[in-house]
Amino acid sequence: MSFLICVGALAFLMLVAYRGFSVILFAPIAAMGAVLLTDPSAVPPIFTGLFMDKMVGFVKLYFPVFLLGAVFGKVIELSGFSKSIVSAVIKLVGRERAVTSIVLVCLLLTYGGVSLFVVVFAVYPFAAEMFRQSDIPKRLIPGVIALGAFTVTMDALPGTPQIQNIIPTTFFKTDAYAAPWLGLIGSVFILALGLLYLEWRVRSAIARGEGYGSGHSNEPEPVASEVLPNPILALSPLVAVGVLNKLFTMAIPGIYGTTSEVALTPGAKPLVTQVSSVAGIWAVEGALLCGILMVLAFAWKPVSQRFADGTKAAIGGSLLAAMNTASEYGFGAVIAALPGFLIIRDALTAIPNPLVNEAVTVTALAGITGSASGGMSIALAAMADQFIAAANAAGIPMEVLHRVASMASGGMDTLPHNGAVITLLGVTGLTHRQSYGDIFAVTCIKTLAVFFVIAVYYLTGIV
């Protein structure tokens, strides 16, 4: 019965998310419902002392990353830099290579720190125009954008500032550049198989005589001709975020040491911070802040005219994204405290290999919650100590644990109820029936890549 209570709570949360209800509202309902069925008297203390404590703790650590990432993406959009980058890449690669062009644009924007949600809105008009001119079925656009925005630059490439690559730093005391060679190898694997699959899908559709189609909903206006910023200038803030992230990652431990003690008033109790737990977060925050300032310096006039309204939307989006994930984090902490979770944990422990154990656990919970960051947060909050102990016993570096957890979070997370998938389909005006099959194929390739990386590590020892 305790096991069924856990599974029922997870299934309920997955169902309401799939139906489009707010996770912020229903995560505590699902969690407290499970507690009610276990011990009714424990509901108030568990809600206040565990659910809210973990939820607020997540916001404390990660909300600045969500916020700065959203604002950075918005000023990149307002400045015209995103249009300039898209236009330059299309000219460089060629309009006849529509799939490769769109994937490359998504990679550049997301690796530079632009939120994947912002990338969907920025890239879709160009993707629709290219597919229309090349007479490629519109239903293939979501799969192409998913490969570019939801895969390697989200959690595989070393140094990516996306939140899925930052969360493991606080558990494993690593940085965003953990296991760089494994990340690069996994990225090549995903992109090679993904592009081969999508190009095959395009050729098959053309061979059947299927074109772009007509009568589509949410068709974008044709991309207007306008004077765009120099693409090198447009790329410079994105490059700066990546470079500064690395520099700050190296500099912060040297400046602050492993522990920081600060007292602004003489004789006051010092504020003690374990720098090793937050150095990766500080580095990303500092890099994103510098990126925002660079965009403002380079494009003050166009950005300042719409900065107030634009940043309101960005801040609202970052609040929603952070609170969604934080609610799932609090939900996971409650589920992990239930007796039934011991059965799940023991079943997963039966997987003898620590890296496979971690990968299966993280990707399963990411799939159940429909969130890469939420599923990974749940898994690491509940089982990070177990993963670390098993890795230490097997002589596995923490950097490898970081990269496997990060990549696994972006595996089965894109099931039909995933928020990013729903957003992508909504923006493109397509349905799950029309386009989800290609997104799922990319999801399977991404999941397979995690186990390919694990195999590479055991065969070569490369990190």
Side-chain angles (χ1 to χ4, degrees):
M1 181 57 71
S2 60
F3 170 75
L4 291 177
I5 288 172
C6 281
V7 173
L10 290 167
F12 173 75
L13 184 60
M14 184 168 63
L15 175 64
V16 295
Y18 181 78
R19 297 294 298 273
F21 293 100
S22 171
V23 173
I24 300 173
L25 173 63
F26 279 95
I29 290 175
M32 292 307 103
V35 176
L36 181 68
L37 293 174
T38 303
D39 181 359
S41 65
V43 171
I46 291 292
F47 177 73
T48 303
L50 185 57
F51 181 89
M52 289 303 300
D53 182 65
K54 294 296 183 181
M55 180 177 175
V56 171
F58 183 92
V59 173
K60 171 188 170 183
L61 279 175
Y62 302 114
F63 175 65
V65 179
F66 281 91
L67 175 64
L68 291 171
V71 173
F72 179 64
K74 179 55 68 173
V75 295
I76 286 285
E77 177 189 334
L78 296 177
S79 63
F81 286 3
S82 60
K83 285 186 178 180
S84 175
I85 293 167
V86 171
S87 178
V89 170
I90 291 171
K91 288 179 182 177
L92 179 66
V93 179
R95 288 188 175 273
E96 69 278 4
R97 298 183 179 89
V99 171
T100 303
S101 297
I102 297 304
V103 169
L104 184 56
V105 167
C106 293
L107 292 174
L108 284 171
L109 292 174
T110 47
Y111 194 57
V114 181
S115 164
L116 55 89
F117 290 96
V118 174
V119 170
V120 170
F121 286 97
V123 172
Y124 168 56
F126 296 91
E129 183 165 297
M130 290 183 70
F131 275 51
R132 189 186 302 113
Q133 291 179 3
S134 303
D135 204 26
I136 299 172
K138 181 184 177 181
R139 62 183 177 80
L140 300 179
I141 291 178
V144 175
I145 293 178
L147 178 63
F150 299 175
T151 58
V152 300
T153 51
M154 189 174 84
D155 51 48
L157 278 177
T160 177
Q162 300 296 334
I163 192 67
Q164 292 81 5
N165 189 43
I166 305 305
I167 289 174
T169 63
T170 59
F171 292 95
F172 302 128
K173 308 300 186 291
T174 50
D175 58 51
Y177 291 85
W181 287 110
L182 290 179
L184 287 170
I185 291 168
S187 299
V188 171
F189 179 91
I190 295 164
L191 288 177
L193 287 187
L195 286 171
L196 285 173
Y197 168 78
L198 291 171
E199 292 289 359
W200 169 72
R201 291 284 287 163
V202 169
R203 290 194 302 270
S204 299
I206 292 174
R208 292 193 302 269
E210 183 182 357
Y212 183 79
S214 59
H216 296 299
S217 61
N218 203 27
E219 280 291 274
E221 295 293 327
V223 178
S225 298
E226 57 183 289
V227 178
L228 297 173
N230 184 291
I232 296 177
L233 180 70
L235 271 172
S236 59
L238 278 69
V239 174
V241 169
V243 173
L244 289 173
N245 184 17
K246 179 63 175 176
L247 292 176
F248 290 154
T249 296
M250 295 187 297
I252 288 172
I255 296 171
Y256 292 97
T258 56
T259 304
S260 170
E261 296 187 10
V262 177
L264 298 179
T265 304
K269 182 180 179 181
L271 177 66
V272 179
T273 303
Q274 297 297 323
V275 177
S276 57
S277 299
V278 294
I281 298 175
W282 287 0
V284 172
E285 291 169 355
L288 287 171
L289 183 58
C290 291
I292 293 168
L293 294 176
M294 280 186 67
V295 177
L296 292 176
F298 293 159
W300 172 256
K301 187 175 180 180
V303 174
S304 62
Q305 292 172 349
R306 296 183 290 165
F307 185 79
D309 290 337
T311 51
K312 283 178 185 177
I315 291 167
S318 67
L319 275 167
L320 182 61
M323 290 301 293
N324 272 327
T325 307
S327 293
E328 291 172 343
Y329 190 63
F331 168 82
V334 173
I335 295 300
L338 294 173
F341 187 78
L342 296 176
I343 301 172
I344 300 173
R345 188 185 66 186
D346 291 343
L348 292 170
T349 306
I351 301 173
N353 185 284
L355 294 180
V356 174
N357 187 349
E358 180 187 43
V360 171
T361 302
V362 172
T363 200
L365 289 175
I368 289 168
T369 60
S371 167
S373 53
M376 177 167 51
S377 298
I378 291 171
L380 295 185
M383 303 178 72
D385 291 341
Q386 178 182 320
F387 295 149
I388 291 171
N392 287 334
I396 298 171
M398 292 298 104
E399 289 78 8
V400 179
L401 276 184
H402 173 130
R403 187 57 53 209
V404 168
S406 185
M407 290 183 65
S409 75
M412 297 306 293
D413 71 308
T414 43
L415 292 179
H417 59 294
N418 173 269
V421 170
I422 293 170
T423 299
L424 175 57
L425 294 174
V427 169
T428 55
L430 295 163
T431 65
H432 280 79
R433 182 184 296 274
Q434 292 172 303
S435 298
Y436 181 72
D438 295 313
I439 298 174
F440 184 69
V442 171
T443 296
C444 291
I445 292 170
K446 182 69 172 59
T447 304
L448 182 62
V450 183
F451 299 97
F452 175 76
V453 164
I454 293 172
V456 168
Y457 169 72
Y458 280 116
L459 289 171
T460 66
I462 194 171
V463 177

